[in-house]
Amino acid sequence: MMTTRDSFPLIRAIADRVSVRQFKPTPIPEEHLRAMLSAAIQAPSAGNRQPWRFLVVRNPGLRQRLAQAAHGQSFVAAAPVAVVILADLPRTESRYGSRGTSLYALQDTAAAIQNLLLTAVSLGYGTCWVGAFAEDQAAAALDLPSALRPVAIIAVGVPAGVTRARERRPLEEVVEFRD
Ligand SMILES: Cc1cc2nc3c(=O)[nH]c(=O)nc-3n(C[C@H](O)[C@H](O)[C@H](O)COP(=O)(O)O)c2cc1C
């Protein structure tokens, strides 16, 4: 019997996505990177301000510095690509003030990141969303102006081995219907 999971590619990609932390060194064709980035910029954003920037870091020395900034998470350097997502704070601040910088810019970039992850999975790549890093060290490594806040580093590559899905809290625990 066809299940919902089989019939809808998006639902399958959502179910298949897991955080991958072991990668083959296989390079990623630019066409695939562009597909992931094109999906990322389709995300909704407050007032359609699109306050995102993406640094596609293929340079091994830079990836090494990002891994150091990420408290030694060495898979950031081992993956062939690390995409750094930046929030362009003045783009939202000019319209929304502090709510823009402290909330919308982070929601907007997070939505873009999730699109990127799901597209990567549909193309056969593994990803890991890395949020634990010293922002000042990442900013220094990438020579960022202060207006651009690095919000995440996404390691992307062909998975080496199989990663087991982690458990989720049941719907009953997190959902409440109010009719
Ligand atoms: C905001 C955020 C920050 C994260 N930071 C890290 C990180 O620094 N290092 C890491 O290995 N995983 C990181 N993760 C991945 C989570 O550990 C992972 O998504 C979670 O354990 C659920 O596992 P799954 O992605 O395989 O479903 C982060 C995820 C998010 C959303």
Side-chain angles (χ1 to χ4, degrees):
M1 196 185 77
M2 281 276 270
T3 63
T4 310
R5 186 191 146 100
D6 297 323
S7 352
F8 297 100
L10 176 61
I11 296 176
R12 192 163 63 235
I14 290 170
D16 286 348
R17 189 214 55 80
V18 289
S19 291
V20 169
R21 299 179 181 86
Q22 285 189 308
F23 298 97
K24 295 182 180 171
T26 322
I28 304 179
E30 187 140 332
E31 182 198 349
H32 288 171
L33 288 171
R34 285 184 177 278
M36 294 173 210
L37 296 160
S38 299
I41 64 168
Q42 288 301 321
S45 61
N48 199 25
R49 295 300 291 159
Q50 306 171 51
W52 40 60
R53 297 278 287 272
F54 305 87
L55 291 179
V56 182
V57 182
R58 291 184 286 206
N59 178 285
L62 267 185
R63 280 188 284 108
Q64 193 64 52
R65 288 189 68 188
L66 289 175
Q68 281 162 9
H71 315 295
Q73 299 190 75
S74 56
F75 63 82
V76 172
V81 175
V83 181
V84 183
I85 289 80
L86 311 171
D88 184 342
L89 301 176
R91 277 194 76 80
T92 28
E93 188 174 34
S94 56
R95 186 168 318 171
Y96 298 114
S98 66
R99 192 165 175 83
T101 49
S102 67
L103 185 64
Y104 296 161
L106 302 179
Q107 293 183 332
D108 300 339
T109 46
I113 292 167
Q114 184 70 356
N115 280 4
L116 189 153
L117 301 188
L118 294 177
T119 306
V121 113
S122 1
L123 292 170
Y125 296 100
T127 57
C128 189
W129 180 328
V130 173
F133 61 90
E135 286 187 32
D136 56 340
Q137 288 179 33
L142 300 167
D143 208 11
L144 298 180
S146 61
L148 296 179
R149 181 176 184 190
V151 296
I153 302 169
I154 310 298
V156 191
V158 175
V162 176
T163 307
R164 287 217 339 211
R166 300 197 63 184
E167 294 253 318
R168 289 298 187 266
R169 295 162 65 193
L171 278 188
E172 294 66 36
E173 197 178 311
V174 295
V175 177
E176 180 189 332
F177 287 91
R178 295 199 175 177
D179 298 323

